[in-house]
């Protein structure tokens, strides 16, 4: 399967030695024939038929920022939805699904979400095999989908992030980061010590020993794409 990666940010050069850039992380998490589109650099698919399915990365920016490439990304997400193309939005991409398709994204009144979060599964769909009661995922965000777009279904979440995983048609959003390693998550946390605050950083670091369901999410995503492209 040929997957198109809509890359919305790059790893700081100081952290490249941990796990490479974001495209490297996604390639390890979900092995496939990847084609990378650097959206901030002005790259964008000419046709959504160039790839079988699409994935987007996180970003340090917000989906509601007035930046040309972000407006272009919103248009791509609307086109993916209109053409019923398979898509997985991770973090920023998850939020763009909400923002571009009629929901609302804002800085969460619950504050930063960092470290490992346990999302309780509220609804199981056929591609979610093996079935799980909850999934642990690494998180690093302040923005969240605060209001779902029309027709969306929440599949999993927790008290801090009620819309942890949701689906709208052929588009699937995950607020967490299944592609990250613990080492990268910890390095990012430490680099944001002043921005997030010492107490929250310490609390988040204390969760990093917990196992995550990153491999299960990869299996779910593969089945999701396969079911939609048969």
């Amino acid at each position: 399967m040929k997957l198109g990666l809509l890359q919305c940010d790059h790893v700081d050069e100081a952290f490249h030695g941990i796990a490479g850039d974001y495209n490297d992380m996604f390639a390890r998490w979900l092995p496939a024939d990847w084609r990378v589109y650097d959206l901030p650099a002005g790259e964008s698919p000419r046709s959504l038929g160039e790839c079988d399915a699409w994935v987007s990365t996180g970003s340090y920016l917000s989906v509601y920022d007035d930046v040309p490439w972000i407006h272009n990304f919103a248009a791509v997400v609307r086109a993916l939805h209109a053409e019923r193309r398979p898509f997985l939005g991770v973090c920023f991409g998850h939020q763009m699904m909400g923002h571009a398709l009629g929901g609302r994204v804002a800085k969460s009144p619950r504050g930063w979400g960092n470290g490992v979060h346990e999302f309780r599964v509220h609804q199981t769909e056929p591609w979610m095999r093996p079935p799980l009661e909850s999934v642990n995922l690494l998180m690093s965000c302040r923005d969240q989908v605060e209001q779902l777009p029309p027709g969306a279904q929440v599949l999993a979440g927790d008290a801090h992030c009620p819309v942890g995983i949701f689906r709208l048609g052929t588009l699937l959003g995950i607020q967490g980061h299944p592609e990250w390693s613990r080492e990268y998550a910890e390095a990012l946390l430490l680099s944001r010590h002043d921005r997030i605050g010492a107490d929250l950083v310490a609390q988040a670091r204390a969760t990093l020993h917990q196992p995550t369901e990153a491999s299960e999410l990869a299996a779910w995503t593969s089945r999701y794409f396969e079911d939609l492209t048969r």
Side-chain angles (χ1 to χ4, degrees):
M1 182 174 291
K2 188 168 188 175
L3 300 184
L5 184 68
L6 303 173
Q7 188 157 341
C8 302
D9 201 357
H10 293 278
V11 171
D12 189 290
E13 287 187 7
F15 302 143
H16 271 208
I18 299 173
D21 205 346
Y22 290 124
N23 59 300
D24 301 308
M25 297 183 193
F26 275 94
R28 279 191 296 271
W29 173 63
L30 191 65
D33 177 13
W34 287 92
R35 179 172 177 177
V36 180
Y37 301 80
D38 188 338
L39 298 190
E43 298 176 7
S44 189
R46 294 184 178 180
S47 165
L48 297 180
E50 291 176 5
C51 297
D52 300 310
W54 298 86
V55 178
S56 74
T57 72
S59 175
Y60 77 97
L61 294 173
S62 295
V63 294
Y64 45 79
D65 286 341
D66 187 11
V67 177
W69 75 261
I70 294 179
H71 297 314
N72 179 63
F73 181 33
V76 170
V77 169
R78 286 191 287 269
L80 287 163
H81 181 54
E83 295 184 23
R84 297 189 59 78
R85 301 280 182 174
F87 171 77
L88 171 68
V90 173
C91 193
F92 183 81
H94 162 99
Q95 293 163 14
M96 183 56 83
M97 286 171 52
H99 175 74
L101 298 172
R104 184 174 66 87
V105 174
K107 288 183 170 52
S108 170
R110 297 169 295 280
W112 279 91
N114 294 288
V116 175
H117 281 237
E118 181 183 15
F119 292 162
R120 300 295 299 178
V121 175
H122 305 312
Q123 180 173 320
T124 300
E125 299 196 329
W127 49 270
M128 296 166 72
R129 302 190 308 272
L132 299 171
E133 293 184 356
S134 65
V135 291
N136 278 12
L137 285 173
L138 287 162
M139 287 263 288
S140 181
C141 67
R142 191 175 179 189
D143 286 339
Q144 288 191 32
V145 177
E146 292 293 304
Q147 180 181 328
L148 286 166
Q153 296 175 296
V154 176
L155 303 181
D158 69 356
H160 182 272
C161 183
V163 185
I165 301 175
F166 81 103
R167 182 179 61 77
L168 178 56
T170 59
L171 278 58
L172 178 67
I174 300 176
Q175 179 59 74
H177 285 279
E179 80 283 9
W180 280 8
S181 67
R182 288 180 179 78
E183 293 77 12
Y184 178 70
E186 183 169 33
L188 198 61
L189 266 174
L190 292 174
S191 74
R192 295 175 173 176
H193 185 278
D194 294 338
R195 183 179 175 190
I196 297 173
D199 290 344
L200 287 180
V201 168
Q203 291 171 23
R205 290 184 72 193
T207 69
L208 294 180
H209 69 283
Q210 298 175 15
T212 69
E213 273 68 46
S215 60
E216 287 83 354
L217 262 293
W220 284 9
T221 301
S222 292
R223 278 194 203 90
Y224 186 71
F225 286 162
E226 288 166 3
D227 288 352
L228 289 171
T229 53
R230 282 176 182 166

